[in-house]
Amino acid sequence: MNTQADSSISTGTRLRDAIENEIVSGALLPGTRLDETVLAERYGVSRTPIREALMQLANSGLVEIRPRRGAIVAEVGLDRLVEMFEVMGELEGMAGRLAARRITAADIAALDEALEACRHAAAATDHDGYYYENERFHFALYNASHNGFLIEQCMAMNRRLKPYRRLQLRVRNRLGTSLAEHEGIVAALKAQDTDAAERLARGHVVIQGERFSDLIATIGKVGFAAA
């Protein structure tokens, strides 16, 4: 992760990323109890940032907070995961279409800045750095739609899919492909080509064909349910 991104990331968020990696890599299987004291000792922190990290993971659906049992690793079905990506694709496509119609000079500047940061991270093969700059790019796209309700829905679904979008970036050649897709989206937005912006933004998110196979292979050891 690059230093610039590091300085703006809270301890809780870093811990979330570390625990998130353990879950999606299969080191922590579904049903595993996440004891705050044990995790605090493992990471050398107090229980407060651990609690913050677990709450963030609960918001993304990776962790369940249960009465009297505390936090446990959630079980996510593959069918459910694909459905969420389908919805995210439609939301991003809508954001792309509206942004192409409503984009301002300030929106373009924000997208260009995020795109350049993505280029630097991709060139350095910095998966974590790209993950955060990619998130910034998508937030800039949502904001360019100038539809408050849509922005809220995109942000909420983005939070749910954070771990899996992050995991996708570790698939072979995905950084370069993702960057090229970003460049295509920005070109369509600048040209105010609504159809292309919608199609490219949707396709950038939806997992199908080879991308679906790659994602399934990557998470195959994590213990996901078939449905």
Side-chain angles (χ1 to χ4, degrees):
M1 189 183 305
N2 60 44
T3 304
Q4 182 178 4
D6 239 6
S7 63
S8 62
I9 300 169
S10 70
T11 299
T13 299
R14 292 178 195 172
L15 288 168
R16 179 206 67 195
D17 291 348
I19 299 169
E20 178 182 285
N21 280 336
E22 290 197 62
I23 294 173
V24 298
S25 69
L28 292 171
L29 295 174
T32 301
R33 184 170 179 269
L34 300 170
D35 185 272
E36 292 180 8
T37 302
V38 172
L39 291 171
E41 291 177 356
R42 182 189 305 175
Y43 291 108
V45 297
S46 70
R47 292 177 60 183
T48 300
I50 291 293
R51 191 174 298 115
E52 176 189 342
L54 293 178
M55 289 302 298
Q56 291 184 40
L57 289 169
N59 288 336
S60 69
L62 271 187
V63 165
E64 292 180 14
I65 308 295
R66 295 184 177 177
R68 294 182 296 281
R69 284 198 64 190
I72 65 168
V73 178
E75 185 172 7
V76 180
L78 289 175
D79 289 349
R80 180 71 166 180
L81 181 60
V82 172
E83 289 171 352
M84 287 193 291
F85 269 106
E86 287 179 342
V87 172
M88 185 79 256
E90 292 303 316
L91 291 172
E92 297 239 2
M94 184 181 296
R97 171 171 285 277
L98 291 178
R101 288 167 42 192
R102 302 171 177 177
I103 198 162
T104 66
D107 294 328
I108 291 174
L111 283 161
D112 280 339
E113 183 179 343
L115 182 59
E116 186 60 26
C118 285
R119 286 196 187 101
H120 284 298
T125 320
D126 181 358
H127 291 89
D128 283 341
Y130 190 93
Y131 168 75
Y132 288 106
E133 302 304 349
N134 174 68
E135 185 175 67
R136 180 154 66 110
F137 177 88
H138 284 273
F139 289 172
L141 172 63
Y142 306 156
N143 288 330
S145 74
H146 295 278
N147 182 308
F149 183 75
L150 178 60
I151 293 168
E152 290 172 6
Q153 300 309 304
C154 284
M155 297 284 275
M157 185 58 72
N158 185 284
R159 283 194 297 272
R160 290 296 306 276
L161 288 173
K162 266 176 179 284
Y164 312 106
R165 295 180 79 162
R166 181 178 189 172
L167 193 61
Q168 274 198 100
L169 294 175
R170 296 190 177 275
V171 172
R172 185 169 57 89
N173 299 326
R174 182 56 193 159
L175 284 189
T177 304
S178 174
L179 178 61
E181 291 168 356
H182 284 182
E183 291 171 339
I185 292 168
V186 171
L189 292 174
K190 289 179 177 178
Q192 295 187 298
D193 186 335
T194 55
D195 290 340
E198 180 177 24
R199 172 174 51 81
L200 293 172
R202 181 193 300 115
H204 178 60
V205 173
V206 172
I207 53 171
Q208 55 191 2
E210 290 184 359
R211 285 182 62 190
F212 176 76
S213 300
D214 288 342
L215 181 62
I216 297 308
T218 305
I219 65 178
K221 298 179 181 179
V222 181
F224 279 64

